[in-house]
Amino acid sequence: MAHNTRVLGHIVAFLTVAVWGSTFVFTKLLLLSGLTAAQIFTLRFIIAYVSLMVFSLSRKSHRWMADTWRDELLMVGLGLAGGSLYFLTENEAMNYTTTTNTSLIVCLCPLFATALIGAFYKTERLRPSQLLGTLLAAIGVIVVVLNGHFVLHLSPLGDSLAFAACLCWAVYSLLMIPANRRYDVVFITRKVFFYGLLSMVPYYLWVSPAEFNPSILHIFNPANPQSFNPAILLNLLFLGFIASMLCFVAWNWAMKQIGPVTATNYVYINPVTTIVFAWLILGEQITVFFLLGTVLIIVGMYLADRKKQAV
């Protein structure tokens, strides 16, 4: 039973990252429609939170708060690290550096997470054989993202923001360890959405008040056919219900089953699924560098997990 649960954890982690890889494409379509990155994040988290709240209220074991104020602060940290701060730093990075730089740095977040978690938990530290596997996967990510163009344009501010996004996800993975030990996945995920949204209030008040524009909701008004765009609504529903609500619950559950380090390694698959969806939806080309990088990622992840099981 434990073996089957672990295998299912791997499958869930892979499928979750595959869906997350597609979000870059759907987010790009929404950006082209006139929504900002902050607006997209806020709307998708509202959809996710409301959906999960409805589900939570239907459960007899529904709870509003954590057992202690320290645990509630832990939930605040999860909402900041895995919600608002991660999405804002990642999206803001692309305003100051290239998409290639941002994708490359963000997709290497398993290295950040592995180092940070290993610093706090000896049981999660990688053995040399496992480290070799994750480094091989990281090289595969570099090959996929660079796609044969080995010239990077350094931008201190933009690249620093991308590194900050990596650090946010590493902190999120670290904080999930004690959270998963004491609370169920649905409760944790609902708290992530709530505090992710709450922490956006200062951003709208002091950083970019112009983005808090209720008039943007006219694009969802079916009574106005000139402005209503069902494609925008469908994209947001996908990002909110599938990519946020369902995927965050699935991801947090997978981390509980296979461990945060092993689960985070699946982020290496993210650029692969992004390119596949871009090929299917946007017509972008598949290159030999993509195929080579994908093979390196798969082999590296297989060796890392196989070595771990064999020890």
Side-chain angles (χ1 to χ4, degrees), residues 140 143-148 269-277 279 285-297:
V143 173
V144 169
V145 174
L146 293 182
N147 195 28
I269 298 292
N270 200 305
V272 176
T273 56
T274 298
I275 291 176
V276 169
F277 276 98
W279 170 62
Q285 296 299 311
I286 297 292
T287 69
V288 65
F289 294 99
F290 166 80
L291 298 175
L292 174 61
T294 300
V295 170
L296 290 174
I297 292 170

Side-chain angles (χ1 to χ4, degrees), residues 109-178:
C109 74
L111 294 178
F112 287 74
T114 298
L116 184 62
I117 293 172
F120 285 85
Y121 295 92
K122 291 183 179 181
T123 56
E124 295 292 341
R125 292 175 184 173
L126 297 183
R127 298 177 177 85
S129 56
Q130 296 173 258
L131 183 59
L132 176 62
T134 194
L135 289 176
L136 185 63
I139 293 172
V141 169
I142 294 173
V143 173
V144 169
V145 174
L146 293 182
N147 195 28
H149 304 287
F150 301 103
V151 179
L152 292 178
H153 301 282
L154 297 180
S155 171
L157 178 57
D159 294 344
S160 297
L161 286 168
F163 278 114
C166 280
L167 183 58
C168 286
W169 195 254
V171 171
Y172 178 79
S173 301
L174 176 68
L175 295 180
M176 278 299 300
I177 296 176

Side-chain angles (χ1 to χ4, degrees), residues 52-261:
L52 202 56
M53 178 57 74
V54 171
F55 174 77
S56 297
L57 290 174
S58 67
R59 304 171 72 196
K60 294 181 179 179
S61 58
H62 172 72
R63 62 192 303 172
W64 290 100
M65 302 293 291
D67 292 334
T68 66
W69 66 268
R70 288 186 177 87
D71 285 352
E72 194 66 25
L73 287 177
L74 176 64
M75 301 302 164
V76 174
L78 286 168
L80 286 169
S84 56
L85 288 182
Y86 172 78
F87 282 95
L88 287 175
T89 51
E90 181 187 53
N91 290 318
E92 193 66 19
M94 288 187 284
N95 290 327
Y96 297 98
T97 188
T98 63
T99 303
T100 298
N101 282 33
T102 303
S103 300
L104 180 59
I105 295 171
V106 170
C107 287
L108 292 178
C109 74
L111 294 178
F112 287 74
T114 298
L116 184 62
I117 293 172
F120 285 85
Y121 295 92
K122 291 183 179 181
T123 56
E124 295 292 341
R125 292 175 184 173
L126 297 183
R127 298 177 177 85
S129 56
Q130 296 173 258
L131 183 59
L132 176 62
T134 194
L135 289 176
L136 185 63
I139 293 172
V141 169
I142 294 173
V143 173
V144 169
V145 174
L146 293 182
N147 195 28
H149 304 287
F150 301 103
V151 179
L152 292 178
H153 301 282
L154 297 180
S155 171
L157 178 57
D159 294 344
S160 297
L161 286 168
F163 278 114
C166 280
L167 183 58
C168 286
W169 195 254
V171 171
Y172 178 79
S173 301
L174 176 68
L175 295 180
M176 278 299 300
I177 296 176
N180 268 329
R181 289 174 178 174
R182 297 195 285 272
Y183 299 95
D184 68 88
V185 171
V186 173
F187 175 77
I188 296 170
T189 309
R190 198 185 79 237
K191 285 292 186 177
V192 170
F193 294 144
F194 175 76
Y195 285 116
L197 287 170
L198 188 63
S199 58
M200 284 296 293
V201 174
Y203 174 83
Y204 285 122
L205 288 178
W206 295 300
V207 179
S208 184
E211 290 190 70
F212 186 71
N213 181 12
S215 65
I216 196 69
L217 296 178
H218 75 277
I219 61 178
F220 308 119
N221 183 12
N224 187 357
Q226 292 182 340
S227 62
F228 177 67
N229 189 340
I232 294 177
L233 180 59
L234 290 175
N235 282 348
L236 277 172
L237 287 175
F238 172 80
L239 291 175
F241 186 72
I242 304 296
S244 293
M245 194 272 281
L246 290 180
C247 281
F248 265 82
V249 170
W251 181 256
N252 292 340
W253 180 84
M255 282 201 290
K256 194 169 188 175
Q257 304 306 317
I258 64 178
V261 172

